[in-house]
Amino acid sequence: MIQEFSEQELIRRESLAKLRELGIDPYPAALYPVNTNAAQIAAEFDPQKGNFQDVCIAGRIMSRRIMGAASFGEIQDESGRIQIYVKRDEICPGEDKTMYNTVWKKLLDIGDIIGVKGFAFYTQTGQLSIHAKEITLLSKSLRVLPIVKELDGQVFDAFTDPEMRYRQRYVDLIVNPSVREIFIKRAQIIATMREYFNAAGCLEVETPILQSIPGGATARPFITHHNALDIPLYLRIANELYLKRLIVGGYNGVYEFAKDFRNEGMDKTHNPEFTCMEIYVAYKDYIWMMDFIEKLLEKIAIKVNGSTKVKIGENEVDFAGPYRRLPILDAIEEYAGVNVKGMNEEQLREVCKNLHVEVEPSFGKGKLIDAIFGEYCEDKLIQPTFVTDYPVEMSP
């Protein structure tokens, strides 16, 4: 199948060929000695101190404004964006002005990654910028980036299509800086959890992903075949059972950040492959575990957001303990207005009918109670709440 390129992609490939004709390697393998980033310059530059006068930074071109013998551009690195000021006679001090007139003005494009050496300064309008003394092409981009425009806090032509964002995560990360923050915060959450568990004397372990009997949860597994042993094996649906065996083996506390796999439906909150953290501790009870988790969540909130209070949608959630501890049957009485304590299956079905809760004929007592709770209670519990005393019928 012949691959067809858009007009812009063809132009970029022509630019690539011209760069090579000029003797410029569009994909150099040599080390580029980056010594700072956009965020550090923005936070620490002080003209009175005369710092950042020997800057070496690398980033992706996100915008350019060509104005004769001088130009402005904006590059984006991992930490953020910063403006660059490019003057023809500065980056081309000799007679040969090819680097500015041809390379910078005609052959470089938005999306290209460049290295800039120079010094930090404020423009006459007060814009923090890097005065470029040298520009190096580090990677020529052959694909055209979505152009997201922003003016006075308003975003235009945003890259918001869910299908494209999830299938092209790399593009999402480039054009939507807030997405990068999610990745960073996720890493901070995991690091904080590890620190907390280790300080509590728990041991991080790894347990088998390929299992001969998938257990620890009720879910359909992915199946594969072990050729050497000629047996079927399953990608784990949970890591619970192996962690419990380690407790049996004598450890007082173990935990694992595990990749689990479930060959079932997909939606916004369910993925066939997902990360699950499980922790097991000997000689404790669920009261102790609730206290333990309260302190963990409070620590994570402070580490990641600098406060125990977090804005989630329209609600402000406070992760400072202590949290409410609410028995599930009390929650149903409080939010659905029905006391279901002591009811049998037939009575619960009648309650579901009266409350217009959809249930299956196969549901037992536990599932019926859970259905009522899901319909009437879950969305009411905004602040952190431990829902306790689930019916034994709901235990897998």
Side-chain angles (χ1 to χ4, degrees):
M1 186 176 71
I2 299 174
Q3 184 176 5
E4 294 186 3
F5 299 112
S6 68
E7 181 182 358
Q8 283 295 317
E9 289 173 330
L10 289 172
I11 291 171
R12 289 185 179 222
R13 279 164 173 76
E14 291 172 4
S15 297
L16 178 71
K18 290 175 182 176
L19 286 165
R20 285 178 168 144
E21 289 173 7
L22 291 171
I24 296 173
D25 183 356
Y27 306 105
L31 176 146
Y32 191 75
V34 172
N35 60 17
T36 187
N37 61 43
Q40 184 180 22
I41 297 172
E44 300 177 14
F45 175 59
D46 185 346
Q48 301 301 319
K49 294 180 180 177
N51 55 352
F52 293 104
Q53 297 305 292
D54 187 19
V55 167
C56 183
I57 192 171
R60 192 180 296 274
I61 299 173
M62 299 306 290
S63 67
R64 287 188 307 165
R65 300 193 306 279
I66 307 294
M67 298 177 291
S71 307
F72 287 97
E74 189 176 44
I75 62 172
Q76 175 177 286
D77 63 15
E78 183 184 40
S79 69
R81 295 188 182 190
I82 192 166
Q83 181 171 273
I84 60 172
Y85 172 66
V86 184
K87 193 173 181 182
R88 182 186 60 198
D89 294 337
E90 290 282 354
I91 66 169
C92 305
E95 293 297 320
D96 185 2
K97 307 298 183 183
T98 303
M99 188 63 195
Y100 183 85
N101 290 337
T102 303
V103 177
W104 170 254
K105 290 177 70 174
K106 300 177 181 178
L107 301 182
L108 294 186
D109 296 287
I110 290 174
D112 292 351
I113 298 175
I114 61 172
V116 179
K117 292 182 180 179
F119 59 88
F121 77 107
Y122 284 110
T123 65
Q124 291 182 351
T125 60
Q127 178 71 43
L128 175 62
S129 307
I130 297 173
H131 188 125
K133 307 288 283 186
E134 178 185 309
I135 289 179
T136 304
L137 176 60
L138 301 178
S139 182
K140 178 66 183 170
S141 175
L142 301 180
R143 296 293 184 106
V144 181
L145 283 178
I147 305 299
V148 179
K149 300 172 184 175
E150 187 173 344
L151 179 65
D152 298 329
Q154 279 192 300
V155 176
F156 303 91
D157 301 324
F159 184 63
T160 56
D161 182 80
E163 185 76 10
M164 293 184 68
R165 286 187 60 203
Y166 290 130
R167 290 190 181 278
Q168 300 180 37
R169 262 305 197 193
Y170 46 93
V171 179
D172 195 24
L173 287 166
I174 293 169
V175 301
N176 292 324
S178 60
V179 175
R180 289 204 305 276
E181 277 298 308
I182 295 173
F183 279 67
I184 293 168
K185 287 185 176 183
R186 181 184 188 275
Q188 291 174 335
I189 288 169
I190 292 173
T192 305
M193 292 171 75
R194 278 199 171 100
E195 178 187 325
Y196 183 76
F197 295 151
N198 292 342
C202 298
L203 180 71
E204 183 173 9
V205 297
E206 290 185 352
T207 61
I209 293 175
L210 286 173
Q211 301 179 354
S212 58
I213 301 175
T218 303
R220 183 184 296 114
F222 286 91
I223 306 172
T224 187
H225 187 81
H226 193 299
N227 290 334
L229 297 178
D230 193 24
I231 60 171
L233 289 176
Y234 305 87
L235 293 180
R236 67 180 171 202
I237 57 175
N239 52 333
E240 174 181 333
L241 299 183
Y242 283 91
L243 291 173
K244 287 179 174 177
R245 288 169 188 168
L246 290 169
I247 296 295
V248 172
Y251 291 108
N252 283 350
V254 293
Y255 70 94
E256 180 180 17
F257 289 90
K259 280 292 184 185
D260 290 342
F261 308 84
R262 297 181 181 181
N263 194 3
E264 298 180 336
M266 289 179 61
D267 59 37
K268 190 175 181 181
T269 58
H270 292 84
N271 207 44
E273 173 188 349
F274 60 96
T275 304
C276 178
M277 191 293 299
E278 294 199 24
I279 182 169
Y280 292 88
V281 184
Y283 316 121
K284 309 296 183 185
D285 61 12
Y286 76 106
I287 304 296
W288 177 91
M289 184 60 79
M290 287 190 284
D291 293 336
F292 186 71
I293 296 303
E294 271 181 2
K295 293 170 186 173
L296 168 65
L297 294 179
E298 184 172 340
K299 183 181 180 71
I300 290 172
I302 293 171
K303 179 69 175 180
V304 175
N305 294 308
S307 168
T308 61
K309 296 180 180 179
V310 179
K311 188 79 170 176
I312 303 176
E314 298 297 316
N315 301 304
E316 183 179 76
V317 178
D318 192 350
F319 284 96
Y323 301 163
R324 186 183 184 191
R325 300 176 185 195
L326 179 63
I328 187 170
L329 300 185
D330 291 352
I332 290 173
E333 184 173 5
E334 179 176 340
Y335 295 109
V338 180
N339 184 350
V340 298
K341 295 175 184 176
M343 285 189 180
N344 58 31
E345 185 176 321
E346 185 179 339
Q347 291 170 318
L348 287 169
R349 285 192 182 279
E350 187 63 27
V351 169
C352 290
K353 180 180 178 182
N354 294 336
L355 293 175
H356 306 290
V357 176
E358 293 185 9
V359 295
E360 299 291 334
S362 60
F363 283 6
K365 280 185 61 176
K367 285 272 192 178
L368 293 169
I369 290 171
D370 189 45
I372 299 169
F373 177 80
E375 187 72 26
Y376 279 86
C377 307
E378 280 187 2
D379 62 344
K380 309 294 193 308
L381 301 176
I382 305 300
Q383 298 304 319
T385 304
F386 289 111
V387 180
T388 64
D389 302 338
Y390 271 69
V392 69
E393 292 89 352
M394 293 178 64
S395 179

